[in-house]
Amino acid sequence: MASRMLKRAGISPELCEQLKRHKIESCKDLLTHTAFEVMYAAGLSYQKTLGILETVSKVIAPPLTTALELWKHYSDSCFSTSLPALDKVLRGGIPCGAITEVTGPFGCGKTQLCMMLSVVTTLPKELGGLDRSVIYIDTESAFSAERLVEIAQNRFPDYFSSQEKVLQMAGRVHIFREMTCQDVLCRLEKLEEILISTRAGLIILDSIASVVRKEFDTTLPGNLIHRSKLLGQQATTLKYLAHQFNIPVVLTNQITTQIGHQGSGPLTEGDSGIVTAALGNTWSHSVNTRFIVQYVDGLQRQLLVAKSPVAPFAVLNYTIQKEGICMNGNDGEETFYEGTDPSLQPIREVLVLRTSAVPTLAT
Ligand code: ATP
Ligand code: MG
C-alpha cells in the first residue's frame, strides 16, 4: 500500500512535481518525513501539510470490508487456468489479489505453465480469459515467444487461426528481463503505472529464486538476513500490487536439498537430504497458494496443491504437450491427496521408473 505513488493518492499533479524535486514520490516517501520536512518540500502552510499527510494516510490504510462483500464478488476473485480439474480443486481457479507459487525441479513445466497462463489472460472473456494483458518478469531468459505462440495456436486453434489474433495476443504479453535482485525489486516498485497503462490482468515472476540464489551465498555471515530482507520487500510489493489491482501474481521457485534428512518419511526437524522448495520458511509464509510440480515417470508429471486457503491438498497428473500443460486424465474430477502435508514430503526431482512411492490418487 505504502509504495503507491502520490499521484495515485489524490495529490494534485503540481504538488507531486514539487515533492518529486525533493525525492518524495510515493506515499511511503511522504510518510517517512516529518511534517516540517514535508512543509518545507511542498512549500505549504503547516495546516495544509497536515491535511496532505492525513489524506495520504487514509489512502494507504487497508479498507474495511465484510465477508458478505467478498462473497458477492467471489467469481471476480478467481482466474480460470483453462485446466478444469485444477480450477475445480481451487474453487474456480488461481486466486486474484494473492500470490501463487509454483515450485519444482528443472524442466518440470513451471515456465510452460506461466506461458500458458499468459495466453489465457489475453483471451476474450467468453472463451474463459480475462481480456487483459500480462506483465511477465523473466529472470532466467527462459521466456520464448515461439513457444508462447505454439501454445496459443495448439490450445485454442479456432481462436488463433487468424494471424491477427496471434499478433494481438503476443503484443499483450509485456516482458521485462531483470537479472539481479535489485533490478527485480526496482521493477516491482515501478510496476503500478505500467499495470494501469497496459491494463494488466496477471503478473508473472519467473523465477523468484534464480536471482536470489545467484547473489546470496547464505553460508556467508549476514547474507541470510540481507536475503530475507530483500525477499520480504519483494513479497510486500507483490502483495500490494495483487491486492490493489485484484489480479493474480504467479511466481516460480526452485528446489533445494536440505542436509541431514534420515529415511524416506516426512520431513521432520533435524532431518534432511531431502528436496524441498527453495528460499526457506519465511518465504514460504509469504505465498498464499503453493503448487509443487514433480516428476512421476516417463512423460508424466504431477502438480500438488500443497498450500491453499480454500482447497484441500490435491494431486493432479499432467503432461507437457504442444498446447502446454495437459491434465487430460483428471479433467472433470477432483483428485484428493492422501497423505500428510505435501510441503513436508521430498519433491521428485528426476524422472523415475518406479511409481510405488508416488502419492496415491483417490478417484
Ligand atoms: P527450470 O527450473 O529449469 O526453469 P521449468 O520447470 O521452468 O524448469 P520448463 O521450461 O517449463 O521447465 O519445461 C521444460 C520442459 O517442457 C521440457 O523438458 C520439455 O519436456 C517440455 N516442453 C517444452 N516445449 C515443449 C513442446 N513444444 N512440446 C512438448 N513439451 C515441451
Ligand atoms: Mg523455468
Side-chain angles (χ1 to χ4, degrees):
M1 289 276 182
S3 52
R4 181 190 282 218
M5 302 308 275
L6 284 173
K7 57 185 159 191
R8 297 224 319 111
I11 305 297
S12 70
E14 298 75 33
L15 185 53
C16 287
E17 272 310 304
Q18 169 71 18
L19 291 167
K20 196 173 168 186
R21 287 187 212 120
H22 295 264
K23 296 197 168 50
I24 300 176
E25 290 186 72
S26 67
C27 296
K28 186 175 166 188
D29 296 338
L30 187 90
L31 297 174
T32 48
H33 285 76
T34 64
F36 285 107
E37 286 167 339
V38 176
M39 195 172 92
Y40 170 74
L44 294 173
S45 70
Y46 186 62
Q47 280 312 318
K48 281 195 177 155
T49 303
L50 288 184
I52 285 167
L53 290 171
E54 194 184 332
T55 307
V56 172
S57 302
K58 275 187 189 154
V59 166
I60 65 159
L64 187 66
T65 189
T66 63
L68 181 62
E69 282 298 311
L70 296 179
W71 195 22
K72 275 189 203 159
H73 298 289
Y74 186 73
S75 60
D76 298 338
S77 62
C78 290
F79 166 51
S80 168
T81 61
S82 81
L83 299 164
L86 180 59
D87 288 349
K88 195 172 175 191
V89 169
L90 296 173
R91 311 283 186 265
I94 291 178
C96 294
I99 301 181
T100 298
E101 181 194 78
V102 188
T103 193
F106 65 88
C108 212
K110 302 182 293 296
T111 301
Q112 303 296 311
L113 181 65
C114 291
M115 289 192 278
M116 196 189 91
L117 295 177
S118 301
V119 173
V120 177
T121 305
T122 67
L123 283 181
K125 289 190 176 160
E126 56 274 20
L127 291 182
L130 296 176
D131 195 14
R132 306 272 287 274
S133 65
V134 179
I135 300 297
Y136 198 118
I137 303 173
D138 178 16
T139 67
E140 299 180 322
S141 299
F143 179 86
S144 156
E146 289 76 15
R147 181 66 180 130
L148 181 86
V149 170
E150 185 183 42
I151 291 173
Q153 289 178 325
N154 285 280
R155 196 163 195 92
F156 306 100
D158 293 341
Y159 185 71
F160 289 111
S161 59
S162 101
Q163 186 70 358
E164 189 197 341
K165 293 278 190 286
V166 174
L167 296 178
Q168 264 175 18
M169 181 278 296
R172 292 177 88 180
V173 182
H174 303 268
I175 320 291
F176 293 98
R177 293 223 152 104
E178 308 295 354
M179 298 300 166
T180 69
C181 286
Q182 206 51 47
D183 287 349
V184 172
L185 186 60
C186 286
R187 174 60 58 203
L188 294 178
E189 287 179 343
K190 292 196 181 115
L191 218 49
E192 201 167 0
E193 304 294 310
I194 300 168
L195 286 171
I196 296 169
S197 63
T198 59
R199 282 193 67 249
L202 172 69
I203 300 173
I204 286 177
L205 174 49
D206 182 26
S207 84
I208 181 92
S210 62
V211 275
V212 176
R213 295 175 93 192
K214 223 168 25 196
E215 287 176 44
F216 292 96
D217 177 353
T218 50
T219 58
L220 298 177
N223 261 5
L224 193 57
I225 297 172
H226 192 180
R227 187 185 86 166
S228 301
K229 194 173 157 210
L230 205 115
L231 281 171
Q233 285 172 305
Q234 292 188 355
T236 306
T237 311
L238 284 168
K239 271 177 196 274
Y240 162 70
L241 295 171
H243 180 80
Q244 187 64 24
F245 293 90
N246 193 33
I247 57 174
V249 169
V250 175
L251 45 87
T252 63
N253 191 2
Q254 293 165 337
I255 52 171
T256 189
T257 303
Q258 292 189 5
I259 310 301
H261 180 66
Q262 306 294 323
S264 57
L267 183 64
T268 56
E269 217 171 333
D271 260 349
S272 212
I274 194 169
V275 178
T276 182
L279 303 183
N281 222 355
T282 313
W283 171 256
S284 285
H285 291 291
S286 301
V287 301
N288 307 94
T289 302
R290 167 174 276 170
F291 302 149
I292 293 173
V293 289
Q294 64 179 3
Y295 288 102
V296 182
D297 61 353
L299 294 174
Q300 282 291 326
R301 292 151 163 109
Q302 278 186 335
L303 184 149
L304 306 173
V305 178
K307 179 182 176 186
S308 163
V310 296
F313 297 140
V315 55
L316 300 126
N317 285 338
Y318 69 92
T319 55
I320 305 172
Q321 307 288 345
K322 278 185 176 169
E323 58 265 50
I325 305 289
C326 292
M327 290 184 170
N328 298 334
N330 305 296
D331 277 357
E333 54 183 278
E334 265 179 44
T335 47
F336 290 107
Y337 175 86
E338 287 182 347
T340 53
D341 185 346
S343 299
L344 302 178
Q345 305 294 327
I347 297 171
R348 293 187 165 271
E349 61 176 326
V350 286
L351 287 174
V352 289
L353 295 174
R354 261 183 330 108
T355 54
S356 56
V358 172
T360 46
L361 293 173
T363 51

